[in-house]
Amino acid sequence: YKGKPFWYFKKSQSEPINMFFKKNDEENDLAKIAALLIYAAKIDQNYSNSEEKIIKQALIQFGAKESNLNEIINLGKEIENNSNQILDFTKKVKNMDEKNKIMIIETLWRIIYSNKEADIYETNLMRRLGGLLYIDNKLMGDIKVKIKKEFL
């Protein structure tokens, strides 16, 4: 390689391939939402069936068909497993309208309170997501109180 300019070399073939190449845009968007919800469900090291049920219900609200719901969940798990930060799957949610962002935040709090309590990791995640998604602190607090009442 002596004497070759730096731009001559090809990028490494070991770079990750875009995992969304095989799905349509709607399924990709739903899988990214699923990844965020799954991330929240796993953050307390206890991903339960009740949390997955909440995630499935939310995805149906966002337009997923029951016929491919498990496929979207599995793709969401793959995205979440291959990601090293929440920014990777908050980009889609960040560009949603306010109503849909609120639905996501409500779902996240439902996932968190499905086991009747919120630990420090879960509350820290929600504080970070509030900032990333430009959700007002008062609105975040109001949603938290509303959802907490559903479970307690």
Side-chain angles (χ1 to χ4, degrees):
Y1 296 123
K2 263 188 174 172
K4 301 272 186 191
F6 71 91
W7 46 263
Y8 176 80
F9 304 106
K10 292 182 178 180
K11 285 188 175 183
S12 167
Q13 294 300 315
S14 65
E15 286 185 19
I17 297 170
N18 183 353
M19 64 182 76
F20 309 118
F21 70 94
K22 59 189 177 223
K23 302 289 173 204
N24 67 39
D25 286 343
E26 184 179 335
E27 286 178 343
N28 287 337
D29 292 346
L30 289 169
K32 291 174 190 174
I33 292 168
L36 176 61
L37 299 175
I38 291 165
Y39 180 84
K42 285 181 164 184
I43 203 162
D44 66 355
Q45 306 296 315
N46 183 23
Y47 183 53
S48 67
N49 289 335
S50 63
E51 290 171 326
E52 187 159 311
K53 184 178 176 185
I54 292 168
I55 292 168
K56 286 180 177 181
Q57 289 169 344
L59 292 172
I60 289 170
Q61 279 186 307
F62 281 105
K65 297 177 186 81
E66 288 200 39
S67 59
N68 65 346
L69 196 55
N70 287 332
E71 194 175 340
I72 291 169
I73 292 278
N74 289 335
L75 185 57
K77 287 177 181 176
E78 185 180 337
I79 293 167
E80 192 273 333
N81 286 335
N82 292 320
S83 176
N84 59 2
Q85 57 180 331
I86 60 173
L87 290 174
D88 293 342
F89 33 83
T90 56
K91 290 175 189 168
K92 175 60 192 161
V93 178
K94 193 176 197 173
N95 294 323
M96 292 178 149
D97 63 26
E98 190 77 11
K99 179 184 167 211
N100 287 325
K101 284 183 187 179
I102 290 171
M103 285 175 58
I104 294 283
I105 296 297
E106 287 176 346
T107 302
L108 289 163
W109 280 118
R110 278 189 187 95
I111 290 166
I112 290 168
Y113 281 116
S114 67
N115 66 356
K116 309 287 187 242
E117 62 184 355
D119 68 23
I120 59 170
Y121 301 108
E122 292 166 326
T123 54
N124 182 39
L125 170 67
M126 293 306 290
R127 190 171 38 258
R128 290 186 311 163
L129 284 172
L132 284 171
L133 302 177
Y134 306 118
I135 304 288
D136 179 77
N137 286 339
K138 175 157 178 16
L139 180 58
M140 283 292 284
D142 292 345
I143 294 169
K144 176 183 177 180
V145 168
K146 173 186 160 189
I147 301 303
K148 190 174 183 179
K149 284 180 184 177
E150 287 179 17
F151 286 92
L152 301 179

